[in-house]
Amino acid sequence: MIAQESSPSPAVAAVVVLAAGQGTRMRSATPKVLHTLGGRSLLGHVLAAAEPLSAGTTVVVVGSGRDQVEAHLADVAPGALAVVQEQQRGSGHAAEVALAAVPDLEGSVLVVNGDSPLLTSRTLAGLVAAHDAAGSVFTVLTAEVDDPTGLGRIVRDERGAPRAIVEERDATDEQRAIREVNAGVYVTDAATLRRVLARIGTSNAQGEQYLTDALAPLVDGGAPTAAVRADDPDDVLGCNDRRELAERRRTLNDRVLDDLMRSGVTVVDPQTTWVDVTCSVGADAVLEPGTQLRGTTTVAGGAVVGPDTTLVDCAVAEGASVVRSHCLGAAIGPEATVGPFSYLRPGTRLERGAKVGAFVETKNVQVGEGSKVPHLSYVGDATIGRAANVGAATVFVNYDGVAKHHTTIGDQVRIGSDTMLVAPVTVGDGAYTAAGSVITADVPPGAMAVARSPQRNVAGWVRRRRSGTPAAEAAEAAERRAEAPAGDRSDAPRTHTDT
Ligand code: UD1
Ligand code: CA
């Protein structure tokens, strides 16, 4: 089953996603199809795979946790029609409910389980093409797997034609030995499926109406049917519990990293690097061990990310580096450097060559070209001009307990260490602030702002008030040295030539 990437996907009239099941085995308050891996929900992956089939209608059957599933659908597939299956009476019943909601629908329908996150558009397109080529009315996607436990088996006749799908609980020992399994993905003629579903009963181990039971009566009636093996057996793997969720997540991630490496990205340690399917990484970027790229994150060519870095919805430009940091919704400009140990929060924008260093948190701030916030600072709600330097332990005091206020720092500014910039405040181009200042008023361009109490030295305080302590002894020794005539400094430290 080969579908060329370049060939346009064959179309179907509708896609029906079965997503009403309880997902009991997940043991979760969250409906199964909303569990996530690789940046999408299970359901989101299925919808994304079906997207290129350009179905006029997409129906999603919801039931368990329907409010949550419907809200999610409104988010990821607002055009899809959610149809409620009040009681989960089986996959066949779910398909029947879906078709009843679109009574005028004719032509080919792709019916797919909502819990198969590894399905690819290529596999689905291949299935539709094979269905069309065979003139089939019911075509099931299958796979040869090493361990078929729990899955429906594909029973073929002596000529190799599909005969029936038998659920494991209802299978004979002989049937259980079959390693070709039902993927839970079908292309079928709408009218044919309506007709056959109306006749399917519930006499099976679970007392449910199985979609899989549609095949045998069609074969018996002489209708053209087909069973098509997927090229990659991983494609068809479902996800019923947390262990399978972890396995699918790993497989999906391996696929994403393989694609990246093929396209010229260095992934130093694929075992500890996790990239969502929704991210993109340019050629010659390097992902160091422990890197996680999530959401809409993009990393341009030549950038280095990691080790031990998480980027969520970030944009990293060419040649930038982000080391041991956690960044959300940040835009990191070309040649900019971040970390180690930086926390960039939404609205952070670093221009070319800007630097945010160790133990710095930023939020809603623009750091101009070549400007630096190297150490131990909080920078919130601010605009920083070009080539400015923000000294260690500076705080942009942006919150008065009720509202946030903005700080503007000009070009070539030098903010002294431990400055408090009490917003709203503006520091003009080329201005300085003295270390330890609390800046509450605007600083004109070129001025030095000093906002701290003058220093007072209380002479001899330690000798008087801390007499007998090592500090007092050190002070007294220093005083004796200062009083002794030059050349007679008996307690002066010796040098190595003085032996
Ligand atoms: C199903 C197939 C099995 C196949 C396997 C592939 C049936 C009877 N069996 O088994 O042959 O090998 O998928 O993963 O179909 N659903 C509803 N309403 C219901 C029941 C189920 O919408 O009343 C949905 C579920 O949300 C799920 C899908 O149908 O997305 C399949 O149901 P599930 O219980 O997961 O079936 P499996 O036991 O995995
Ligand atoms: Ca399943």
Side-chain angles (χ1 to χ4, degrees):
M1 183 178 96
I2 307 292
Q4 294 302 318
E5 306 275 357
S6 52
S7 63
S9 291
V12 290
V15 169
V16 171
V17 184
L18 308 183
Q22 291 189 342
T24 316
R25 290 164 278 180
M26 293 297 278
R27 301 193 178 278
S28 177
T30 301
K32 173 165 77 174
V33 293
L34 298 192
H35 282 262
T36 59
L37 62 165
R40 289 194 178 119
S41 63
L42 292 172
L43 178 57
H45 282 291
V46 172
L47 290 166
E51 229 268 326
L53 296 177
S54 50
T57 307
T58 299
V59 179
V60 179
V61 183
V62 300
S64 287
R66 54 175 279 204
D67 292 346
Q68 282 167 274
V69 179
E70 282 177 12
H72 179 65
L73 265 182
D75 220 25
V76 301
L81 174 66
V83 172
V84 180
Q85 183 193 22
E86 293 290 352
Q87 288 179 327
Q88 282 68 65
R89 295 206 225 125
S91 51
H93 179 247
E96 202 172 19
V97 168
L99 292 177
V102 281
D104 299 332
L105 181 74
E106 293 173 6
S108 296
V109 182
L110 174 81
V111 181
V112 51
N113 285 357
D115 63 351
S116 301
L118 301 180
L119 278 174
T120 61
S121 300
R122 190 169 173 277
T123 292
L124 294 181
L127 183 71
V128 175
H131 174 84
D132 292 347
S136 168
V137 294
F138 187 95
T139 302
V140 56
L141 181 68
T142 77
E144 293 277 354
V145 296
D146 293 333
D147 178 13
T149 307
L151 297 166
R153 307 298 204 276
I154 304 297
V155 180
R156 293 182 184 258
D157 66 18
E158 57 287 346
R159 284 175 295 116
R163 187 74 206 78
I165 306 168
V166 182
E167 291 306 297
E168 176 162 283
R169 295 175 204 238
D170 306 302
T172 62
D173 285 350
E174 194 187 341
Q175 289 168 335
R176 275 182 207 207
I178 298 171
R179 285 175 40 240
E180 186 182 6
V181 297
N182 168 27
V185 183
Y186 322 83
V187 182
T188 167
D189 173 66
T192 306
L193 187 62
R194 282 180 211 281
R195 220 176 311 118
V196 70
L197 285 174
R199 305 201 322 254
I200 286 177
T202 58
S203 53
N204 52 53
Q206 293 200 101
E208 289 187 353
Q209 191 181 348
Y210 287 166
L211 179 52
T212 47
D213 283 347
L215 178 60
L218 289 170
V219 172
D220 289 341
T225 62
V228 177
R229 288 184 180 84
D231 289 339
D232 182 352
D234 284 350
D235 275 25
V236 312
L237 295 173
C239 182
N240 294 313
D241 58 30
R242 309 267 183 164
R243 207 167 148 267
E244 289 179 350
L245 179 61
E247 288 171 2
R248 303 301 166 258
R249 184 179 288 120
R250 170 62 71 187
T251 306
L252 188 64
N253 194 57
D254 287 345
R255 287 181 173 182
V256 170
L257 297 185
D258 282 353
D259 284 350
L260 291 183
M261 290 187 278
R262 258 196 296 276
S263 71
V265 175
T266 293
V267 180
V268 175
D269 181 15
Q271 290 300 308
T272 62
T273 302
W274 294 87
V275 178
D276 282 353
V277 298
T278 43
C279 296
S280 70
V281 185
D284 280 326
V286 177
L287 305 182
E288 297 281 3
T291 292
Q292 298 181 61
L293 306 182
R294 295 169 44 195
T296 59
T297 294
T298 59
V299 176
V304 179
V305 180
D308 300 329
T309 292
T310 299
L311 305 180
V312 183
D313 301 337
C314 289
V316 180
E318 325 80 69
S321 108
V322 189
V323 178
R324 274 184 219 288
S325 291
H326 192 86
C327 308
L328 314 171
I332 297 165
E335 313 292 333
T337 64
V338 175
F341 307 109
S342 305
Y343 180 27
L344 272 46
R345 295 169 55 203
T348 296
R349 184 185 166 83
L350 310 188
E351 302 295 347
R352 176 179 292 276
K355 175 190 170 92
V356 170
F359 306 106
V360 173
E361 175 178 340
T362 65
K363 190 189 174 205
N364 190 26
V365 54
Q366 184 174 350
V367 181
E369 191 173 330
S371 288
K372 295 178 177 163
V373 189
H375 339 268
L376 298 159
S377 294
Y378 172 70
V379 187
D381 296 304
T383 311
I384 299 176
R386 297 155 60 98
N389 190 83
V390 176
T394 292
V395 176
F396 286 60
V397 183
N398 61 335
Y399 187 47
D400 61 13
V402 179
K404 301 282 176 67
H405 302 282
H406 196 84
T407 297
T408 304
I409 305 287
D411 297 341
Q412 298 288 353
V413 163
R414 299 288 176 268
I415 300 293
S417 293
D418 198 29
T419 296
M420 300 292 118
L421 294 158
V422 182
V425 71
T426 296
V427 180
D429 291 348
Y432 278 52
T433 68
S437 289
V438 178
I439 302 297
T440 53
D442 290 353
V443 182
M448 156 66 90
V450 187
R452 62 190 185 199
S453 51
Q455 180 171 331
R456 187 166 66 101
N457 294 336
V458 182
W461 186 93
V462 173
R463 203 173 8 83
R464 292 195 306 278
R465 306 293 292 271
R466 295 290 182 269
S467 155
T469 63
E473 284 164 17
E476 281 159 14
E479 280 166 18
R480 276 198 303 278
R481 279 198 305 278
E483 284 158 12
D488 181 24
R489 297 196 168 171
S490 55
D491 56 356
R494 297 178 174 199
T495 69
H496 67 282
T497 56
D498 195 18
T499 50

